[in-house]
Amino acid sequence: MPKIIKRVAVLTSGGDSPGMNAAIRSVVRTCAFHKIQCIGIYRGYQGMIEGDFIEMGPRSVHNIINKGGTILKSARSKEFMTVEGRKKAYAELIKAEIDGFVVIGGDGSFTGAQIFNKEFKFPVMGIPGTIDNDIFGTSHTLGYDTALNTVIECIDKIRDTASSHNRLFFVEVMGRDAGHIALNAGIGAGAEEILIPEEDLGLERLVESLRKSKAAGKSSSIVVIAEGDKIGKNVFELKDYVEANLPEYEVRVSVLGHMQRGGSPSCFDRVLASRLGVKAVESLLEGKSNFMVGMLNDKVTLTPLLQAIKGETLIDRELLRVSEIMSV
């Protein structure tokens, strides 16, 4: 018989992403709608271990749907990676009479939830919150759309300078293991080349492509690089190589860094967060557990946490072809 859910906790874990606050708001208000209590856990799993809890109601989440970051704070907990740490967390949840929790985060956060569920049979649900969009079982993760718009805005401004001074700019964006941001933002911003971890362009081919661009009359160029691309040890080494082989180019590097994570979430991310939060709470109330809520074909779906963690997200081959055609 499924456990009766009367008190649901919510936490954010791992790197922050725009839309996390909107998801917290959705979880809290869905609990209020169904007349159950909601508990906020500060500082992710570390806060769970330390019992850093607060009761939350509809008014405690007013005016946060438009804010980036997370009001519950986020942290990575090494202690939660140990059996002893998870036992402490379980004891705190039981003491607070919490019946299940919703974790908003990425694959590392989901791994912790999945192990916790396996050890203690404790009801858990996951909401994908990461700008990298690298979680299996959903077409979009919270913050991805906002991050894309932020990157596009930055590249548009960089292009003004590139055109004014006839420069080549290497723009590094986030994406340690996945090139979704680089590929989509590169196409959207009209980049001449896009370098992603999934595709090895190679140094010689990059130089040849830039040489052709110069011969075709392009006086300035933008190359978007995912931070996980393996073409060079880092973007600055790549800059030195291109300058040595193409002295006619004046090369500059811009690393966008953490500005991609911040800022007010887009309308898409706010609506997505609201839909996923409702589904997460109502799934717990229906007796479901150990799932991630996601979006596929504009429908809210459930994917087993283990599958979400281990499943491989593939780069869109059609977009790769589009980027090749657009770079002519």
Side-chain angles (χ1 to χ4, degrees):
M1 183 176 177
K3 183 178 181 180
I4 297 175
I5 304 292
K6 294 181 179 179
R7 284 165 71 88
V8 170
V10 59
L11 67 146
T12 50
S13 175
D16 65 292
S17 63
M20 280 186 164
N21 279 327
I24 293 168
R25 173 181 180 270
S26 179
V27 169
V28 171
R29 293 196 169 178
T30 304
C31 286
F33 179 84
H34 288 286
K35 296 181 171 52
I36 61 173
Q37 290 181 299
C38 188
I39 308 297
I41 301 177
Y42 283 114
R43 298 178 294 113
Y45 290 124
Q46 192 60 38
M48 186 184 291
I49 290 171
E50 298 173 9
D52 196 0
F53 304 156
I54 182 174
E55 292 207 21
M56 303 183 77
R59 302 288 72 79
S60 63
V61 291
H62 76 290
N63 292 338
I64 70 167
I65 193 171
N66 61 315
K67 297 188 185 322
T70 162
I71 63 168
L72 290 177
K73 311 298 182 184
S74 186
R76 290 180 169 89
S77 174
K78 290 185 178 179
E79 191 176 359
F80 193 80
M81 296 178 186
T82 67
V83 175
E84 293 75 16
R86 292 191 293 273
K87 284 181 178 177
K88 288 181 186 177
Y90 179 72
E92 291 294 335
L93 292 176
I94 296 302
K95 186 166 71 174
E97 298 181 330
I98 293 170
D99 303 309
F101 69 80
V102 176
V103 57
I104 307 165
D107 55 0
S109 305
F110 292 166
T111 298
Q114 194 269 331
I115 292 172
F116 192 83
N117 172 265
K118 183 178 180 181
E119 290 176 340
F120 303 106
K121 301 297 184 283
F122 199 88
V124 299
M125 295 294 296
I127 294 177
T130 168
I131 68 167
D132 289 341
N133 204 41
D134 59 351
I135 303 292
F136 181 83
T138 185
S139 60
H140 289 75
T141 56
L142 291 183
Y144 173 59
D145 183 72
T146 304
L148 280 181
N149 289 319
T150 299
V151 171
I152 287 284
E153 183 179 353
C154 290
I155 295 176
D156 284 348
K157 291 178 179 179
I158 289 170
R159 187 177 286 282
D160 290 344
T161 295
S163 299
S164 298
H165 296 275
N166 293 340
R167 287 173 179 163
L168 164 62
F169 266 87
F170 286 129
V171 182
E172 183 184 274
V173 301
M174 284 187 170
R176 187 178 64 248
D177 301 309
H180 300 291
I181 292 177
L183 180 57
N184 283 270
I187 293 173
E192 277 67 36
E193 286 293 346
I194 303 168
L195 309 181
I196 58 176
E198 294 88 345
E199 294 286 311
D200 184 9
L201 180 62
L203 285 169
E204 293 306 318
R205 189 174 151 204
L206 172 63
V207 168
E208 183 59 29
S209 175
L210 293 172
R211 189 173 284 122
K212 285 180 179 178
S213 294
K214 195 76 170 177
K218 291 184 180 180
S219 59
S220 64
S221 291
I222 300 287
V223 177
V224 177
I225 306 171
E227 61 181 325
D229 181 68
K230 306 299 190 297
I231 196 170
K233 288 182 181 178
N234 57 60
V235 67
F236 296 100
E237 183 186 81
L238 188 58
K239 166 188 175 293
D240 293 341
Y241 183 87
V242 170
E243 282 185 328
N245 287 272
L246 292 173
E248 63 269 31
Y249 269 115
E250 185 181 355
V251 187
R252 294 290 185 272
V253 171
S254 183
V255 179
L256 300 189
H258 285 81
M259 73 171 70
Q260 297 161 84
R261 279 188 179 171
S264 181
S266 64
C267 177
F268 181 91
D269 276 327
R270 298 182 197 192
V271 174
L272 178 64
S274 300
R275 295 177 71 179
L276 298 187
V278 170
K279 184 66 173 179
V281 173
E282 292 186 342
S283 295
L284 283 174
L285 294 178
E286 292 166 2
K288 297 184 176 74
S289 175
N290 211 26
F291 286 98
M292 179 198 76
V293 291
M295 186 71 65
L296 291 173
N297 300 318
D298 201 35
K299 300 291 182 184
V300 181
T301 59
L302 296 179
T303 300
L305 277 180
L306 191 60
Q307 190 177 349
I309 297 161
K310 293 187 176 298
E312 184 181 0
T313 57
L314 300 176
I315 206 74
D316 191 327
R317 309 304 301 184
E318 182 186 353
L319 279 182
L320 284 173
R321 184 169 177 271
V322 168
S323 70
E324 184 179 355
I325 293 171
M326 291 299 104
S327 66
V328 171

